[in-house]
Structures are given as C-alpha cells and as structure tokens.
Amino acid sequence: MITAWRLTLAISLVLSVTESAHGGNILVWYTEGSHWINLKPVLETLIDKGHRVTVLVPSSSMFMSSKEPSRFYYESFNVSVSLEDIEAAIEEYLHFSMYEIDHMNYIEMYRKYIDLMMVELQNNLKFLDGVVKSETIIKRLKEGKYDLLLADPLFPGSDLLAEILDLPLVFSLRFSPALNWERHCGQMPAPPSFVPGAMSKLTDKMDFSERMWNFLFYAVQDIVMHFTYWKEVDNYYSEFKGKPTSACELMSKADIWLMRTYWDFDFPHPFLPNTKFVGGIHCRPAKPLPKDMEEFVQSSGDAGIVIFSLGSFINNITTEKANMVAAALAQIPQKV
C-alpha cells in the first residue's frame, strides 16, 4: 500500500510540472549599427529557447539585410531614405565627434549636436512611415499574431506600432541623455542631489555647485529634448492618430525596461520593479586569440596593449582620418 501510494504521488508530481510549454511569437523593431550587432545574439538565444522571432527590416540599412542567412524571420518594409543619405549623416557625425568638437565652446557644440540629432530624427520618421503608413505591412503584422514587441527606443515608433497591434512592449536601452526617457516616460525617480545626469561627467559625490550644475543639466536637456525630439515625434503621432498624442505617454506604457548595464556599473539611483538589469546580455563565451594576434599581445612587453575601436561604423572612416588616428596612437608606448 505504501509503495502504491508513493508511486501515485510521484506520478502526480511529474504530471504537475510537465505541462506543455509553447514558445512565444516575438516581433522585433528595426535597429542599426552596434544596436543591431548587440541585438542579434539575444535573438539567437530566444530562438534557442523555442521562440519564433520576426525582425522588421528597412529597405535601406547599413547592417540589417533580409538576405542575410539567419534563424529568424524578416519582415521587410520600404523607406524613402537612401543608403547614401544614411552614410552621409554618419560621416558628418564622425567628423563632428573626432575633429570639430575640440574646437567648439559648449554652446557651439550643443547647437551642432542638435542639428545632427534633427537630421537623424527626420530620417527615422521616414523609416516609421514605411511601417505604420503601409496598409500592407500593418495587415501582415496583424495577421502574424505576435505576442510582444521588442524594441530599442533610440529608434522611435515602436510604441506607436505596439498600440496599433495591441501588443505588450519591451524596451532594451542603455541610457538616454540626462536620463530623459527613463525619468519622464519610465517614471524613474532621479533626484538631482545625488543622481548625476547621464553625460554630465558628474558622480554621485557632488558639492553644492556640482548639484546646481546637475540640476541645470537636467533642465537644459529636458528643454532641448522637448523642442527638438519630443515636439517632432508628438506632431507625427498626433497627425497619424488624428488627435493630440504624447509620444512619451505611449512610451510609458512599456511593460518592461531592459537596461543594458549592471547596477554596480552605475551610480546608485532608484529603479522601478519593471526595470531589469541585463548588462552583457549580448556577450558570448570568450574564444582564444588567433595565433598572430596572440603573438602580438605577448610581444608587447611591460607597457601592455591598448584596444582601440570605432565601433560599428569603422567602414565609414576615410583613409586620411584613419592615418591621422594611427599617427596619434603611434606616440604612446603601448602596442595598439
């Protein structure tokens, strides 16, 4: 009797934990550059877990391509922005960040940064046209019966599409300037007395003058974002929906914010329960260095080595600029 009772109990426990599992159907908002490179390993992992992944891919992109062999599906959409326009905008940004910025005062630098941001925003809104203003694409996406939308909010429009498709929205974000999106849209508390604004160059140990500067930094960034970014996106959303619409309010409906950092990498600041730290989520196990690279590293001596990277846009730097960078790096004792 005891054996039979134990057998019955064991079978009941097994049945209770072996309920059939079904993978999700995930739609992914388009990205570009390093954002796409970092996202791909995450999508591969989702597929390994049994999920189906479909990625929105624009007809003009430097890194995304529906012809690229992969394990996830692609949903292509047409855009009116040419690849040449994208490359020209990147070239101007690189020139600004590598050369012009050292010869500008703070106001000149800010004005140039705003000009570049506006060009990028206008291009992104044209990309958005290709999705939300295409009846064919929207029809296919509705028929796709997706379970959630995964997006990097750096590329606007995912929140609008999530509302159109009535999908849960998951954001993946490193940070926004002065934590503008996190504070206003994600409702994240950020007291300026001890939470330094992102890109302010301050720490959480501030004297009175630094706290005043941090307060002003938040205020200036909020004003700039309002009259450049939010005003443009609000107008687009309002025109599309036919009624006044706040893009930040739509963004605030995101179910989860995945922050691509670790809590111990940043200064202490409050977070909400729907904010999750996922720093290194795109990383893979390290591999041994190629033989020639290993020999290079081992021959560096006591000075060591310096790893220099221009990120995903290395192909956009001219030979002249590359030689200038190489000449500068040649002056340090380390191998580079």
Side-chain angles (χ1 to χ4, degrees):
M1 288 294 294
I2 295 178
T3 303
W5 178 82
R6 286 181 176 177
L7 179 62
T8 302
L9 178 60
I11 293 174
S12 299
L13 288 173
V14 170
L15 292 176
S16 69
V17 298
T18 56
E19 182 180 349
S20 61
H22 302 280
N25 191 12
I26 301 171
L27 180 63
V28 181
W29 191 242
Y30 76 92
T31 61
E32 186 56 276
S34 59
H35 297 262
W36 172 236
I37 294 173
N38 289 340
L39 186 60
K40 289 170 70 176
V42 178
L43 303 184
E44 293 285 352
T45 303
L46 288 172
I47 293 173
D48 291 339
K49 298 293 185 179
H51 303 290
R52 175 189 170 98
V53 175
T54 302
V55 184
L56 284 163
V57 180
S59 56
S60 294
S61 175
M62 294 182 62
F63 287 83
M64 302 184 77
S65 174
S66 57
K67 299 178 181 179
E68 177 182 311
S70 67
R71 298 164 59 201
F72 36 82
Y73 300 90
Y74 290 106
E75 184 67 60
S76 301
F77 62 94
N78 294 321
V79 296
S80 59
V81 183
S82 67
L83 186 58
E84 289 74 18
D85 292 336
I86 299 173
E87 291 178 338
I90 292 172
E91 173 67 22
E92 187 174 1
Y93 173 78
L94 287 174
H95 190 272
F96 164 67
S97 60
M98 294 179 65
Y99 301 99
E100 295 180 0
I101 195 170
D102 292 332
H103 307 288
M104 294 179 173
N105 60 42
Y106 196 79
I107 295 177
E108 291 173 334
M109 181 179 68
Y110 229 97
R111 291 180 62 181
K112 180 66 174 180
Y113 171 74
I114 291 172
D115 290 340
L116 293 173
M117 186 174 69
M118 291 302 296
V119 171
E120 181 181 6
L121 177 59
Q122 292 304 320
N123 285 339
N124 283 330
L125 292 181
K126 291 177 182 178
F127 276 56
L128 183 53
D129 283 343
V131 178
V132 299
K133 293 185 178 180
S134 170
E135 294 181 2
T136 303
I137 294 296
I138 293 299
K139 182 174 182 293
R140 285 210 297 263
L141 294 179
K142 288 182 177 180
E143 292 173 349
K145 300 186 182 303
Y146 297 100
D147 296 310
L148 67 85
L149 177 61
L150 174 63
D152 187 327
L154 181 67
F155 302 87
S158 57
D159 42 13
L160 179 60
L161 181 63
E163 182 179 69
I164 295 172
L165 302 179
D166 192 24
L167 292 178
L169 178 60
V170 176
F171 278 143
S172 171
L173 176 68
R174 177 58 184 93
F175 67 85
S176 64
L179 308 175
N180 182 271
W181 297 344
E182 298 94 312
R183 290 185 293 120
H184 295 293
C185 312
Q187 285 84 51
M188 183 190 81
S193 59
F194 71 93
V195 179
M199 302 176 66
S200 67
K201 299 183 180 180
L202 296 170
T203 73
D204 60 328
K205 306 298 183 183
M206 295 178 278
D207 58 25
F208 179 75
S209 61
E210 289 172 329
R211 290 182 180 184
M212 286 295 296
W213 162 240
N214 195 42
F215 176 81
L216 292 174
F217 183 78
Y218 275 131
V220 170
Q221 286 285 3
D222 288 350
I223 293 172
V224 170
M225 288 294 291
H226 173 76
F227 287 103
T228 56
Y229 184 86
W230 290 120
K231 186 176 180 181
E232 290 291 324
V233 181
D234 286 352
N235 288 339
Y236 184 101
Y237 284 18
S238 298
E239 180 181 349
F240 177 82
K241 298 184 66 176
K243 61 180 181 180
T245 303
S246 167
C248 192
E249 287 185 9
L250 282 187
M251 185 180 285
S252 70
K253 296 179 180 179
D255 296 85
I256 300 176
W257 292 67
L258 302 177
M259 309 306 294
R260 299 194 300 270
T261 184
Y262 281 122
W263 64 267
D264 49 351
F265 280 3
D266 284 343
F267 298 112
H269 56 289
F271 272 100
L272 298 181
N274 68 334
T275 300
K276 306 298 179 182
F277 292 101
V278 294
I281 192 174
H282 63 285
C283 296
R284 293 174 174 174
K287 299 178 181 179
L289 289 173
K291 184 177 179 181
D292 58 338
M293 186 70 74
E294 180 66 27
E295 293 176 352
F296 177 84
V297 171
Q298 295 300 332
S299 66
S300 60
D302 294 335
I305 65 170
V306 171
I307 299 177
F308 176 79
S309 172
L310 287 177
S312 57
F313 296 130
I314 181 63
N315 294 331
N316 293 83
I317 189 171
T318 64
T319 302
E320 177 187 5
K321 293 177 182 177
N323 288 335
M324 290 179 65
V325 172
L329 293 175
Q331 299 177 38
I332 63 177
Q334 293 83 7
K335 286 194 171 184
V336 182

